[in-house]
Amino acid sequence: MKRSFILLALALLSGIGLQAQSLNKDSLLLQLGSQSEDSNKAKTLYHLSMIYEKSDLDSASLYLEKLRSLSQQLNYLRGQYLYYERKTVVSFTNGDFTLAMEEARKGLELAKQMNNAGFEIVMLNNIAICYEYTGKFQEQLDYTLRVKKKIEDTKDSAKMSGLYHGLSNVYSNLGQNRKSVDCALFSIELYEKYKKTNHYINRVYAGLGQSYEALGITDSAEIAYSKGITESIRLNDRFAEGTLYKFVTHLYAALGKYNEMLDMANRGLRLAKELKSRHLEASALYNIAAASFYNNQNATAKQYIHQAIRIAEEDSLRANLQDSYKLLSYIEAKNGNHQSAAFAIGKADSLQQASLNEEVANSAADLEKKYETEKKEAQIALQAASIKQKNIINYILIGSAIGLLVIIILIYLNYRNKQQLQQQRIGELETEKQLLATQSLLKGQEDERSRLAKDLHDGLGGLLSGVKLQLGAMKGNVILTEENSRSFNNALSKLDESISEMRRVAHNMMPEALINLGLQQALQDYCDGLSESQSFQINGEFHGLEQRMHPSEEVVVYRIVQELLNNAVKHSGATVILAQVMRQENKLTITVEDNGKGFNKEQLNFYDSAGFRNIQSRVNYLRGQIDIQSVPGKGTAIYIECIIENNG
């Protein structure tokens, strides 16, 4: 694998940023001692782990375990996610890429559960880096592009510098070093010019230097490495600083700058011992041995290469061990120890063969896993197709059942509606029948009243008037005593009263004003006549009655008002009575109010009286509604609304 820089971009897109770097380690430790077991303490543990992960992995792991335990105890999902985020970094820095991948995938699932796009971006990026260091560059590219799409979807421009850092690594691993340089330079430009966040800018410079070195642009590579070391010191990223010393050492070896190479290797060794990093120490010892060999200091070179071999064997650092045995073979050959040189080169070759065998085995395992995966996917697809087909059949059956049920319901509703319509029609016919009967009855009554009125007026009235004239003529021709004269005059007076009473009865039975002058004048005459010389006052208000109605309707309205006024005069004891009839188009309202004694509708059997039944039948004839309001001591108000034919 070309790129060996540990943690080159891991955690580049931290979910909450690295603000802990601006905090003092001692102040955080002081806070930790006084904090309660809550989310604030979890955040402090998180910040401490970030500080230690660049200089003391054991301490970083210790604080991460405390963070995990506290977050689980509090059911603090954010804290659990932060544990996975930093545990991935620590595992990766420690060289345990398998564990790093496991933690990253757990963190990704938790981020999805929390529906936090920023956390998802971090874990997708971490998985991409894990694929990088296991040599699966196509998978690394796939996950990096997923990170790119996620950032674009969320419009999180703050993470763009880190994104192009990751793309730079991908293209470098795929051998596309020009693209790698372009992405790295754009990442630096976003950081410096546009002030976009990148807490691992030192590692961008490191990757840029490697890409320049691969392209043979060594002067640019040296400048990039130098800036990377400067930024690492500023950020206190000591693991990155140590790895950069290794990169610069290799560059100086290629350029033949052996003294500078030796100086840089010694700086790397001192830092590795401070960090207690065995793999950095093994690399630094190898580089010192190589620089000494190039400077013809074979004894020193042999001393350091044996130290490197010891650490590599103890920690199973196969790549370091292979390189160290190869360098030892050169040293022994230069010293004339050809047997030792042959042994050393044999060890290097066997390690290389073991690596090749392991790669072949891993490749075969990957192919087998891929085959099994594809086989399972094919089975799943077949099963899914079968389930889909069954579901379609079930949907059709369910849809048919629902459709049949809907049809049955519609048929039932239609049947019920028809029944209701029939019942309604029957009710309407019954109502029409009753109305016709009422109309016939009322018409018969009015016809009979009219006939009786005519008979009284023309027959009996004429006869009585003739008698009066004859008696009047006799009075002048007959000599009567004074007493008989008084009796005769009394008889004539009684006859006049009888004629007046007969005319009044005939008029009430069929008012001539109603026939000749209309409803308004007839009602006004009736009100005036009824209140004449009485202790009560009748106020008549009649509007819109100039347009004549059907004679039968006018008679019915007249009778309703007549009956209501008679009831008020007889029973209310009122001093003021209001009679109001108003017509607006085909709507007629009748109102009769009085200030009399009123009555209790519940206690008085008013609605069963013959007078009310007559009024109700006439209101029904006019297709109207009647409303009676009465309070004892506060009078009575009767409101009637009717529909009349537009015959005017």
Side-chain angles (χ1 to χ4, degrees), residues 397-586:
L397 291 174
I398 293 171
S400 300
I402 293 173
L404 181 60
L405 180 61
V406 169
I407 291 171
I408 292 172
I409 292 172
L410 290 175
I411 292 173
Y412 170 73
L413 291 175
N414 184 51
Y415 170 74
R416 192 174 67 176
N417 287 337
K418 283 184 177 180
Q419 276 194 325
Q420 290 176 348
L421 288 174
Q422 288 176 352
Q423 291 295 330
Q424 184 178 351
R425 182 57 182 161
I426 291 170
E428 290 175 355
L429 291 173
E430 290 290 340
T431 303
E432 289 178 5
K433 182 179 178 182
Q434 291 175 1
L435 285 175
L436 286 173
T438 302
Q439 289 173 0
S440 299
L441 177 62
L442 292 175
K443 188 175 183 304
Q445 288 177 351
E446 296 304 327
D447 289 345
E448 185 64 18
R449 282 173 178 268
S450 179
R451 185 186 66 78
L452 289 173
K454 288 180 181 179
D455 288 346
L456 287 173
H457 187 275
D458 296 340
L460 182 58
L463 181 61
L464 291 175
S465 295
V467 171
K468 179 183 177 182
L469 289 173
Q470 289 179 358
L471 290 175
M474 288 174 60
K475 181 180 180 180
N477 297 324
V478 177
I479 299 173
L480 299 172
T481 64
E482 183 179 353
E483 184 178 353
N484 288 333
S485 178
R486 282 197 304 272
S487 298
F488 188 83
N489 287 332
N490 287 334
L492 287 176
S493 297
K494 294 291 185 182
L495 183 59
D496 285 336
E497 291 177 4
S498 298
I499 292 171
S500 297
E501 182 65 19
M502 180 274 300
R503 287 177 177 174
R504 187 186 66 78
V505 171
H507 178 77
N508 286 338
M509 294 185 73
M510 185 54 66
E512 292 182 3
L514 180 61
I515 298 171
N516 299 326
L517 301 177
L519 179 61
Q520 182 170 339
Q521 188 61 48
L523 289 172
Q524 189 63 56
D525 290 347
Y526 183 77
C527 290
D528 293 342
L530 191 61
S531 62
E532 185 179 0
S533 301
Q534 299 294 330
S535 60
F536 55 84
Q537 177 184 349
I538 298 178
N539 297 324
E541 295 182 6
F542 311 108
H543 306 284
L545 302 180
E546 297 83 3
Q547 185 180 7
R548 297 297 297 270
M549 295 182 285
H550 192 280
S552 62
E553 291 178 341
E554 289 186 340
V555 171
V556 170
V557 172
Y558 181 85
R559 297 300 182 197
I560 290 172
V561 176
Q562 185 182 43
E563 186 70 30
L564 291 175
L565 287 175
N566 284 333
N567 286 338
V569 169
K570 292 179 182 178
H571 306 295
S572 69
T575 58
V576 178
I577 302 173
L578 170 66
Q580 185 184 72
V581 180
M582 300 181 67
R583 178 185 178 185
Q584 186 176 10
E585 296 180 354
N586 65 335

Side-chain angles (χ1 to χ4, degrees), residues 582-589 640-644:
M582 300 181 67
R583 178 185 178 185
Q584 186 176 10
E585 296 180 354
N586 65 335
K587 181 180 178 182
L588 184 79
T589 59
I640 298 173
E641 286 189 2
C642 302
I643 304 297
I644 60 174

Side-chain angles (χ1 to χ4, degrees), residues 62-307:
L62 174 65
Y63 287 115
L64 281 176
E65 288 305 315
K66 291 182 178 180
L67 170 62
R68 180 186 62 80
S69 177
L70 179 59
S71 298
Q72 288 179 346
Q73 177 184 339
L74 299 174
N75 195 25
Y76 180 40
L77 293 182
R78 187 182 182 89
Q80 293 177 41
Y81 163 80
L82 295 176
Y83 163 78
Y84 289 125
E85 178 190 297
R86 306 324 301 173
K87 186 64 176 178
T88 303
V89 175
V90 171
S91 300
F92 202 100
T93 306
N94 228 1
D96 193 343
F97 305 138
T98 302
L99 179 58
M101 177 69 84
E102 290 176 1
E103 303 294 355
R105 291 195 181 280
K106 290 177 183 177
L108 178 60
E109 290 304 314
L110 188 56
K112 290 179 179 178
Q113 180 183 338
M114 297 169 68
N115 195 25
N116 189 311
F119 289 173
E120 287 187 51
I121 290 171
V122 174
M123 285 307 178
L124 287 170
N125 183 73
N126 289 351
I127 291 172
I129 303 303
C130 289
Y131 275 126
E132 175 184 3
Y133 285 93
T134 53
K136 297 179 180 180
F137 303 133
Q138 186 58 50
E139 288 83 351
Q140 179 193 7
L141 177 60
D142 292 341
Y143 271 85
T144 304
L145 292 176
R146 286 175 64 179
V147 171
K148 182 174 183 293
K149 184 178 185 305
K150 200 76 175 176
I151 290 175
E152 290 171 348
D153 290 344
T154 57
K155 297 180 174 59
D156 191 352
S157 61
K159 293 185 173 66
M160 293 302 291
S161 177
L163 169 66
Y164 280 94
H165 181 188
L167 286 172
S168 173
N169 293 338
V170 174
Y171 288 128
S172 176
N173 289 325
L174 293 173
Q176 301 181 39
N177 291 297
R178 288 289 179 187
K179 283 188 175 182
S180 176
V181 168
D182 291 340
C183 289
L185 290 174
F186 188 53
S187 176
I188 293 170
E189 182 181 6
L190 288 170
Y191 171 75
E192 294 181 344
K193 183 177 180 180
Y194 300 106
K195 308 301 180 185
K196 299 300 180 183
T197 305
N198 192 332
H199 298 290
Y200 287 90
I201 191 65
N202 57 325
R203 303 179 185 209
V204 184
Y205 282 116
L208 178 62
Q210 285 189 293
S211 296
Y212 274 137
E213 189 176 351
L215 291 169
I217 310 174
T218 54
D219 54 345
S220 296
E222 188 173 1
I223 292 171
Y225 287 146
S226 177
K227 288 185 176 180
I229 291 171
T230 301
E231 289 294 330
S232 295
I233 294 171
R234 180 180 68 84
L235 295 170
N236 195 31
D237 193 350
R238 307 195 72 194
F239 280 103
E241 180 187 350
T243 306
L244 277 161
Y245 289 148
K246 181 173 69 173
F247 288 172
V248 177
T249 302
H250 292 169
L251 177 62
Y252 285 156
L255 295 175
K257 297 180 179 181
Y258 301 129
N259 290 330
E260 291 87 341
M261 175 185 176
L262 181 60
D263 178 63
M264 194 61 65
N266 279 313
R267 290 175 65 180
L269 179 60
R270 287 194 298 271
L271 183 58
K273 288 181 177 180
E274 289 179 19
L275 296 174
K276 299 179 182 179
S277 174
R278 300 272 285 178
H279 64 274
L280 283 179
E281 185 177 354
S283 295
L285 290 168
Y286 169 84
N287 289 329
I288 292 173
S292 299
F293 173 75
Y294 294 139
N295 284 322
N296 295 315
Q297 299 174 1
N298 280 11
T300 303
K302 187 173 181 180
Q303 174 189 350
Y304 278 99
I305 201 63
H306 277 296
Q307 292 181 42

